Every structure is written in C-alpha cells, then in structure tokens.
Amino acid sequence: MQKKYILALDQGTTSSRAVIFNRRSEILGIKSVPLRQIYPEPGWVEHDPEEIWKGQLEALRGVIEDTGISPEEIACIGITNQRETVIVWDKNTGRPVYNGIVWQCRRTAAKCDEIKARGLDTMIRDKTGLVVDAYFSATKIQWILDNVEGVRERALAGELLAGTVDTWLVWNLTGGQLHVTDYTNASRTMLFNINTLEWDRELLETFGIPESMLPKVIPSSGIVGETVEEILGVRIPISGIAGDQQSALFGQGCFEKECAKNTYGTGCFILMNVGKIPVKSNNNLLTTIAWGIGEEIEYALEGSVFNAGSSIQWLRDELKIIETARQADIDAEKVDDTGGVYVVPAYTGLGAPYWDPYARGIIIGITRGTRREHIIRATLESIAFQSRDVFEAMKADAGTEVKVLQVDGGVSVSPFCMQFQADILGIPVNRPAVTETTALGAAHLAGLAVGIWKDKLDIRKEFAEGKTFMPAMDEKTREDKYARWKRAVERSRNWVAE
C-alpha cells in the first residue's frame, strides 16, 4: 500500500490533537482531546502525564478512524508540543514520579530570583540564549528533585528519566525504547548550550540535575525510531520533532533570515529566523534554536507576550461585556477609535521585552464618554501593540526590519486585529490558507526526513494563497498611538513589587 499521508501529533497546553496531511499539505482530518488543567496552589499549573499520553493516543487513533485512512498508508509521524513543560518518570516502570510542571507555572520564581542574586544570569544567558525565568524547564526539574520524597536519591542512582513533552510522547510511542528530544526543545530547558550543542556541565551543576536523567538530543528532522505495533497495528517511523513555536515558524515557511511569524494563542509567540549564527539579544528577547536538519542548525530570536487571546476571554468571562470572540470584533468597529483609552493586559506581569513579573493590568484614559465598545477596542488593540514592542526589540537586535509578518493562531481569524496589526507595524500581515501551521510544521519536518518532500523549496511549492492585510494608517497616527501605548505600559510596571 502506498505510503502517502503524514500524521502530526500536536500536544498543546489545553488539548492533545492529531492531524493528517497529504503530500499537498492539505488537512484530511483533525481529532482533538481536551487536557485538564491542575492548579494545586495560586500560580501553580500542572498536567497529568498519563492523561497527556492517553489523550494523544485517543486523538491519533481517532483521526485515523474518522478519516478511514489505513495505518499502512501513513508514511511517518511528526511531533510538536507545548514547550518547557517537564515530566520525570521511572525508567523501568514508565510511571511519573509527579505531575508534569507546565510552562506557565510560577512556583520557581523565587528560585530564579536567587540565581540572579548570585550573579549567574549572564553566564546562563550566554550559554542558553534565555533569561533566567520560571518559564523554562531547569528550575521545574530541580523543584521535583528537591520536593518529591526520595526522588533525588533515585535520580542519582540512575533510576529516573526527565524530559519535555516530546520526550514523554516518543518514550511511550516506542514502548520505552527511546529517550530523546530535539534541538528546539532542548534549547528551552535552560540546561542546553546552544553554541556547543550539548547539555552543559556548569548549568547541570548550577541546578543540581544529573545528566543521566536527560535525553539524547537529535535533529528536528530525521528518522528517530518507530512506533510499537500495539499502537496502530503497524510500525510507523517517527521522523520529525519540534517545539510548537519553532514548528509554526517552519510551517509558515520562514526558511530565510529576517522572516518572522506571530502565533496568537493564549499569548503571542513571535519568532524571527536569524540564520545559522545565533544573534545575542541586548533587548530582553530570547535566542533559541529554530530547528536542526541534519548537521545544519538555524537560530531564531523570540519574544513572548503573555496575554493575547486570554484578553478576549477576560472580556467575555470576567467582565462579561461580550458573549463571543466574534462579538468583540463587531463591537470594536462600532467606534472610530478607543476614545483615548488604553488597556495594558498585564494580568500576570509583562513578557518580552519587559520581563516584569510585578506589572499588573490597567485601563487608562477613561473619560465620562468612555463606552464598553472603547474598552473592547482598546483590549483588541493591546494585542497588536504588545507585538510591536517585540518587533522593535527584534529590529534593534538583528539590525534589520521584517518586511512581512506571517500570522496564525486563534486571534489571527479576527479581521479587525489583523488589520490593526498591519497598521501599527506598517507592514503587510499574511494569514495562510492553512492556519494549522504548528501541526503543518511537524508534518513538513517529518515528511522531509522520509522523502515526501525533497527540500524546503519543494515544501514551499505546496503553500496555498492566504489573505494579506495591508497597512492603511498614516505614519504620524501610527507613531502617536504607539507613543501613548508606551506611556500606558510604564504606568502598569512594577505595581506589586514590595
């Protein structure tokens, strides 16, 4: 039977999904299984690793059943995953020793403050490209070793394994035969040296993590191994792995330097390809590995905005001034502007380029004439303003400007938001025809490894035309609005610091 389909596993923060693509990069089927969020204490976020695996298994079997495609027709599997989330498990039984600690979890913020107070942040930044923050994996693994009874002793005895979600999925897909991660996920742990491409001894000592726990680091595109027959009745090659944001960068076809994408989900994740040499950020962005294909490593600058789609949820669920996300678009266009109102959605602090955990959200510029539509419009505009903050930092770091922004994610379906993004950046914003770019990137990386596509140019031939939003705002208006936004941000900063 001809092997003509690619199965992409997209394991995210709120769901486990499986998507089947054909050789023309068209979606034939999607199956999604929700993932429960666990909040043991304020600011703590966990996932049940067994639930992640069972949900992903249900999704991959479900999409095959729904489409009627035979497993024998699937050429390969690509995996993309929520990044930074970590799991520690017993190498013999496969049982987790604790819940997965999710990337959003802030339980190790004080530990990060302690590391910075010791003056280690510059060393860590130079080696990993990351700022010291609870966002990343190292302090999460350290917390499990220090706080779960008997775990550190078992780790030192070589009984335990650790990994990000891609590692956990591959371990289970291969029946415990493979303990691996790819370059993109390794680069998000705060333990991996992105210059030497290895787990760094000084970093491991800093966080007290035995190297024996960590997976082998492999390319993002390449045959890793095969699934065990019990899963689908046949053995299928696993040939692509990438963290979700790097996968979206690849799925958007950002193969050249200075090409950038913005994924609008709960937050915004903006990545720009900077080529084969890492660019050190002097403006509080992250330097990360974009992907590794064969011996070739490419790098990216990244900026993370904490609140994008979550701001629309706030309007709906907490303020209750809209009933649906689509209503926010409609109401925003009922007024010509925000009436001078600015919303800074720093509910949990500000991400890049500020990295201010003590900032809090504000609504400023209210007058007696302020209406709900002004607040709704200002909230939507805040998503674009925060994205521009990151682009200004990228421009300063890379010494170049992005010519076109590729977009995907839930908020990208909003015509109002995408038009305002084009206006406030002053560049075209392109939304692809296939918006499942995270899964598509995993499919492309996997398919490339098994010869479905010859090279990146071959992949690009399959890109369908999407919709482009052209900037329509004059420069003076754009810069005046942005200057006021910057003033609003300053008033939100350092609000809850002692």
Side-chain angles (χ1 to χ4, degrees):
M1 196 173 284
Q2 189 181 8
K3 295 187 178 294
K4 52 189 176 181
Y5 303 116
I6 307 102
L7 174 59
L9 305 183
D10 183 356
Q11 203 299 303
T13 309
T14 58
S15 68
S16 298
R17 306 191 319 144
V19 187
I20 294 182
F21 294 90
N22 63 18
R23 291 170 183 265
R24 295 187 298 278
S25 301
E26 296 167 332
I27 294 173
L28 302 183
I30 300 177
K31 178 76 173 179
S32 181
V33 177
L35 176 59
R36 184 171 50 105
Q37 310 299 299
I38 302 168
Y39 305 105
E41 293 187 26
W44 292 28
V45 191
E46 296 177 0
H47 288 156
D48 178 349
E50 299 282 7
E51 187 180 342
I52 289 175
W53 167 236
K54 287 173 185 172
Q56 193 63 77
L57 193 59
E58 182 183 341
L60 77 89
R61 285 174 171 162
V63 76
I64 288 170
E65 185 178 340
D66 291 350
T67 56
I69 287 169
S70 168
E72 285 89 350
E73 297 177 283
I74 297 172
C76 56
I77 291 174
I79 295 171
T80 183
N81 56 285
Q82 53 166 313
R83 304 175 304 171
E84 296 95 18
T85 298
V86 294
I87 300 164
V88 177
W89 67 96
D90 187 296
K91 68 191 283 186
N92 298 309
T93 67
R95 291 192 60 80
V97 302
Y98 188 78
N99 277 339
I101 301 183
V102 178
W103 59 273
Q104 297 162 311
C105 187
R106 305 303 298 172
R107 77 183 66 189
T108 61
K111 175 61 71 174
C112 291
D113 288 342
E114 177 191 312
I115 288 166
K116 286 185 272 191
R118 289 166 58 195
L120 298 174
D121 46 336
T122 300
M123 177 271 290
I124 291 171
R125 177 120 203 194
D126 288 345
K127 288 172 180 279
T128 68
L130 308 176
V131 298
V132 175
D133 193 83
Y135 180 23
F136 305 108
S137 310
T139 56
K140 301 181 195 303
I141 299 173
Q142 184 182 33
W143 189 94
I144 292 173
L145 291 174
D146 289 341
N147 290 275
V148 181
E149 188 177 354
V151 162
R152 181 168 290 282
E153 291 75 18
R154 291 168 66 192
L156 290 170
E159 297 172 10
L160 301 183
L161 301 177
T164 42
V165 172
D166 59 306
T167 304
W168 174 242
L169 292 179
V170 172
W171 169 268
N172 282 286
L173 287 165
T174 61
Q177 296 303 304
L178 289 174
H179 183 224
V180 298
T181 190
D182 89 299
Y183 286 119
T184 70
N185 281 293
S187 75
R188 310 298 297 186
T189 60
M190 216 156 61
L191 297 169
F192 189 73
N193 190 317
I194 63 170
N195 307 295
T196 62
L197 303 179
E198 60 189 1
W199 299 117
D200 189 275
R201 285 221 175 132
E202 187 176 10
L203 295 173
L204 293 170
E205 288 172 7
T206 297
F207 295 102
I209 297 171
E211 188 172 357
S212 61
M213 294 181 74
L214 299 178
K216 179 183 177 183
V217 184
I218 59 172
S220 312
S221 179
I223 297 175
V224 183
E226 294 180 325
T227 61
V228 289
E229 283 188 31
E230 301 93 274
I231 290 172
L232 288 171
V234 294
R235 300 175 73 86
I236 300 174
I238 302 166
S239 54
I241 305 172
D244 52 10
Q245 302 311 321
Q246 287 97 327
S247 189
L249 188 71
F250 200 83
Q252 286 276 21
C254 291
F255 302 146
E256 291 85 30
K257 285 175 66 174
E258 300 164 19
C259 183
K261 71 89 192 176
N262 192 356
T263 297
Y264 301 81
T266 300
C268 285
F269 295 91
I270 304 160
L271 275 74
M272 178 169 75
N273 186 329
V274 295
K276 297 181 177 66
I277 299 171
V279 172
K280 183 178 178 181
S281 175
N282 296 310
N283 293 278
N284 287 326
L285 299 180
L286 309 177
T287 306
T288 196
I289 294 179
W291 47 73
I293 299 176
E295 299 299 313
E296 187 175 275
I297 305 292
E298 293 186 58
Y299 295 87
L301 281 171
E302 176 175 334
S304 303
V305 170
F306 290 162
N307 291 290
S310 57
S311 298
I312 300 171
Q313 292 169 340
W314 170 69
L315 293 174
R316 183 192 66 199
D317 300 340
E318 275 72 43
L319 293 193
K320 301 187 187 302
I321 58 175
I322 59 169
E323 292 184 1
T324 64
R326 176 65 186 131
Q327 187 189 343
D329 256 37
I330 295 167
D331 287 350
E333 299 203 46
K334 288 179 180 176
V335 287
D336 293 332
D337 53 37
T338 66
V341 173
Y342 284 78
V343 173
V344 181
Y347 318 122
T348 53
L350 290 167
Y354 306 103
W355 293 103
D356 182 354
Y358 306 111
R360 286 298 177 266
I362 62 168
I363 305 173
I364 198 165
I366 297 172
T367 68
R368 183 63 182 80
T370 298
R371 292 159 42 191
R372 58 182 285 280
E373 290 88 352
H374 291 127
I375 293 172
I376 291 167
R377 183 173 179 128
T379 302
L380 297 187
E381 288 186 0
S382 76
I383 298 169
F385 281 127
Q386 290 177 101
S387 298
R388 176 161 172 184
D389 285 341
V390 174
F391 274 102
E392 292 295 320
M394 281 184 173
K395 181 165 63 175
D397 282 336
T400 186
E401 295 200 37
V402 173
K403 302 294 190 294
V404 179
L405 174 64
Q406 305 292 330
V407 299
D408 57 73
V411 179
S412 72
V413 303
S414 161
F416 174 83
C417 287
M418 293 305 97
Q419 184 57 55
F420 190 76
Q421 186 71 84
D423 288 341
I424 212 66
L425 288 176
I427 61 172
V429 166
N430 184 59
R431 184 176 65 202
V434 177
T435 56
E436 295 287 343
T437 53
T438 303
L440 182 60
H444 282 161
L445 287 164
L448 197 59
V450 298
I452 285 179
W453 297 286
K454 295 193 299 287
D455 51 31
K456 294 174 188 172
L457 286 175
D458 199 23
I459 290 172
R460 181 162 280 150
K461 290 176 192 171
E462 306 299 340
F463 279 56
E465 281 297 313
K467 178 173 175 55
T468 300
F469 298 84
M470 300 299 295
M473 187 181 286
D474 66 85
E475 186 174 357
K476 183 177 186 309
T477 303
R478 177 188 308 129
E479 296 310 315
D480 285 350
K481 285 181 179 292
Y482 186 59
R484 282 183 174 272
W485 161 260
K486 297 288 283 184
R487 288 173 61 197
V489 168
E490 283 309 308
R491 283 157 174 76
S492 78
R493 297 198 61 188
N494 207 38
W495 182 253
V496 295
E498 294 180 3

